[in-house]
Amino acid sequence: MSAPTFAPLLSSLADTRGDLADRPAVRIGPDALTRGELLGGAAAVADEIAGATTVAVDATASMETVIAVTGCLMAGVSAVPVPPDSGPTERGHILKDSGAQLWLGAARDDVALPTLAVDPAARSASTRPEPDSAAGALVMYTSGTTGAPKGVVLSRSAVAAGLDGLADAWDWNADDTLVHGLPLFHVHGLVLGVLGALRHGSPLVHTVRPTPEAYAAANGSLYFGVPTVWSRVCGDESSARALASARLLVSGSAPLPVPVFERMQSLTGAAPIERYGMSETIITLSTRFDGERRPGWVGLPIRGVQARLRDKAGNPVPHDGETLGQLQIAGSTLFDGYLGNPEKTAESTTDDGWFETGDIAIVDPDGFHRIVGRESIDMIKSGGYRIGAGEVEQALLAHPGIQEAAVIGVPDTDLGQRIVAYVVGDCPDHGVLSDFVARSLSIHKRPREIRVVDTLPRNAMGKVQKKVLIADFAAAR
Ligand code: MLC
Ligand code: AMP
């Protein structure tokens, strides 16, 4: 079978035939642009940055971010979205590791790069040929279990493939209005939630924050949220009922608890769509607009993606709906590798070229997938954010009073998991220590709870026994 081909990433946005340029493209808070205005704004950015290879974008939830990223794609420059709340340590790492040559955004004291503030009113009529589809589109920084976040290199064709797979799975089309309020520095909010809307011609309403009231007021047909967002929507009955007119409510980035699935169904009259993705695989599995939606299950591979389960020895796992295996992925949505880190890329790739997700899953005889958990206890998902325990431990150890630190994720009804830190040392006030982490990394990586202990439980090799800490935490409830 020949490899699928995709229309160039920006071909739909560049199409100005008929009244296409006058159609609404994006509204964020009070700011709105038509497709033609966005095209002109992005071309103005492209004119300024042409010739660069990699540019960092201060990825605030704003029109400036949408224009900046689109301008990078137009100029064939890799965009590196930087979380706006990342502290100097995290931001410094991303800028150095990515080799960004320019900072697109407001000037910041700790950013030494040449800076270009995006003017949302600027327009240019310049046009340029669409870059090669194998070229890099984005470098998305995401946490590993240890160490600082890694840069995930996504090509233009991988992004296009993922978005076209979703159009097929969800019948996503230009008659949809997409609504979400997710951050613009991850795959969910930026790649699916902005570039998807531009590619499929569906206007995007970005609510700045994903609050139930803002979702209810937006009058969309297609909504994206992480499970925390949907849980909060269900906690606000009138907002949830206002979403009954939507065509699809989509949940992803973390497991949607079955009670939240059922509550969404009872309040809105329709079961949500669940889908599974990953920075490295973009979008992978989903239930379909015209197919079964089963609580706790994330459905089938989207078009262009192959999924398989392997046991620890690398053998196939039966599709019996109960045998666990590691989920592995191949196909057109895969990343090109971790930037500047071929060893890590090789470590996560099997000999026959499949990506090892580190997620444990089961598959039933119909090919339906259920994500059961993560292989590593050190990979935490809190509010849909991927957080490596090691990264938070390093941030804690940078405090002069802390001698040892171990971070775990514990169940949380709102966030899915919340970060708890066990520390040894002369611990300052817990709020002060939590703020210390929030200032150095991103706010969502701060510990929500800190426990001071005399010693950490360690095995004979000196490794901290996190399972003991998790059991200790549960027993203390
Ligand atoms: C509290 N705050 C602090 C603080 N303590 N700020 C600084 N330092 C401290 N010590 C304040 C902040 O200022 C902010 O206030 C607020 O607390 C943030 O609270 P939070 O509890 O951390 O978050 P919350 O706002 O409640 O956010 C929940 C959420 C968010 C669901 C909106 O977690 C979210 O947006 N998640 C989405 C993650 C996502 O997109 N993941 C996709 C990854 S891609 P203020 O005033 O600003 O509110 C992926 C692939 C795939 O996974 O499959 O899609
Ligand atoms: P990220 O790197 O932020 O892209 O996070 C990817 C991880 O999020 C995956 O490896 C999964 O562990 C988790 N994830 C994403 N979607 C789902 C889902 N629908 N159900 C369960 N886990 C999910």
Side-chain angles (χ1 to χ4, degrees):
M1 202 170 71
S2 62
T5 52
F6 310 98
L9 184 54
L10 292 181
S11 51
S12 155
L13 183 65
D15 187 353
T16 52
R17 284 172 299 177
D19 67 350
L20 285 175
D22 298 327
R23 289 187 52 124
V26 181
R27 175 148 58 86
I28 300 195
D31 302 321
L33 291 182
T34 64
R35 292 171 71 82
E37 288 165 343
L38 175 57
L39 199 61
V45 170
D47 290 347
E48 299 266 9
I49 65 173
T53 53
T54 309
V55 163
V57 176
D58 188 9
T60 52
S62 67
M63 194 62 88
E64 282 85 344
T65 298
V66 174
I67 296 170
V69 171
T70 312
C72 289
L73 292 173
M74 204 176 262
V77 170
S78 283
V80 184
V82 181
D85 69 337
S86 54
T89 306
E90 186 168 334
R91 188 162 38 239
H93 163 72
I94 294 175
L95 296 181
K96 183 156 180 270
D97 189 74
S98 65
Q101 298 149 302
L102 194 65
W103 173 256
L104 279 183
R108 284 187 187 262
D109 288 345
D110 62 321
V111 175
L113 291 173
T115 294
L116 179 71
V118 175
D119 174 6
R123 301 284 179 268
S124 163
S126 67
T127 56
R128 27 179 61 77
E130 177 105 14
D132 190 280
S133 67
L138 294 156
V139 184
M140 311 293 288
Y141 275 80
T142 193
S143 297
T145 50
T146 56
K150 299 189 289 286
V152 170
V153 179
L154 299 178
S155 68
R156 302 174 78 92
S157 66
V159 171
L163 299 178
D164 289 0
L166 287 185
D168 173 64
W170 300 343
D171 190 27
W172 186 356
N173 62 69
D175 292 332
D176 279 311
T177 294
L178 172 65
V179 177
H180 73 86
L182 297 171
L184 298 185
F185 46 85
H186 281 308
V187 157
H188 198 162
L190 180 64
V191 177
L192 312 185
V194 174
L195 302 182
L198 298 183
R199 187 164 175 87
H200 300 315
S202 59
L204 165 66
V205 176
H206 190 282
T207 59
V208 183
R209 297 297 298 264
T211 60
E213 304 76 18
Y215 273 35
N219 201 23
S221 64
L222 179 60
Y223 283 76
F224 291 174
V226 296
T228 302
V229 169
W230 293 122
S231 167
R232 292 179 184 183
V233 165
C234 288
D236 175 352
E237 262 193 42
S238 66
S239 293
R241 289 191 195 285
L243 302 185
S245 57
R247 190 173 70 80
L248 294 178
L249 306 180
V250 182
S251 178
S253 302
L256 183 67
V258 170
V260 179
F261 181 108
E262 289 170 345
R263 187 104 178 103
M264 285 173 79
Q265 186 163 20
S266 81
L267 289 172
T268 68
I273 291 277
E274 284 191 74
R275 99 302 179 281
Y276 159 94
M278 196 174 183
S279 304
E280 293 87 337
T281 67
I282 305 185
I283 186 75
T284 312
L285 305 164
S286 183
T287 53
R288 291 184 57 85
F289 78 101
D290 54 356
E292 182 190 356
R293 303 177 199 176
R294 197 188 304 168
W297 294 71
V298 292
L300 306 162
I302 65 159
R303 202 177 58 192
V305 170
Q306 292 110 50
R308 71 182 190 189
L309 294 192
R310 287 291 181 266
D311 66 16
K312 286 211 165 80
N315 299 314
V317 162
H319 291 192
D320 57 7
E322 55 186 54
T323 309
L324 301 175
Q326 196 214 96
L327 181 64
Q328 301 182 351
I329 305 297
S332 37
T333 66
L334 274 196
F335 73 141
D336 286 350
Y338 297 112
L339 186 69
N341 205 336
E343 301 81 17
K344 280 274 178 230
T345 308
E347 264 173 39
S348 62
T349 310
T350 65
D351 290 343
D352 56 350
W354 289 61
F355 175 71
E356 300 182 338
T357 61
D359 287 306
I360 304 298
I362 56 179
V363 184
D364 79 359
D366 298 327
F368 241 60
H369 289 68
R370 176 178 169 84
I371 307 296
V372 175
R374 294 279 315 174
E375 265 174 354
S376 172
I377 210 168
D378 284 328
M379 188 66 89
I380 300 167
K381 266 266 156 166
S382 188
Y385 285 115
R386 173 167 150 187
I387 301 159
E391 191 185 357
V392 184
E393 286 157 5
Q394 287 308 314
L396 287 162
L397 288 169
H399 190 281
I402 303 303
Q403 282 143 26
E404 295 177 53
V407 162
I408 55 171
V410 304
D412 185 278
T413 46
D414 179 46
L415 297 170
Q417 284 185 296
R418 77 175 178 282
I419 298 177
V420 175
Y422 283 73
V423 296
V424 177
D426 184 12
C427 182
D429 175 82
H430 294 188
V432 170
L433 187 56
S434 176
D435 282 350
F436 180 77
V437 176
R439 275 200 310 277
S440 135
L441 304 175
S442 300
I443 290 168
H444 62 267
K445 294 181 179 172
R446 71 191 187 277
R448 308 288 171 132
E449 219 171 307
I450 292 169
R451 304 209 161 181
V452 186
V453 289
D454 293 334
T455 53
L456 294 174
R458 292 183 185 272
N459 65 15
M461 309 292 289
K463 193 173 182 316
V464 176
Q465 293 172 298
K466 297 226 171 151
K467 285 193 175 143
V468 173
L469 292 178
I470 288 173
D472 169 81
F473 186 89
R477 292 280 98 182

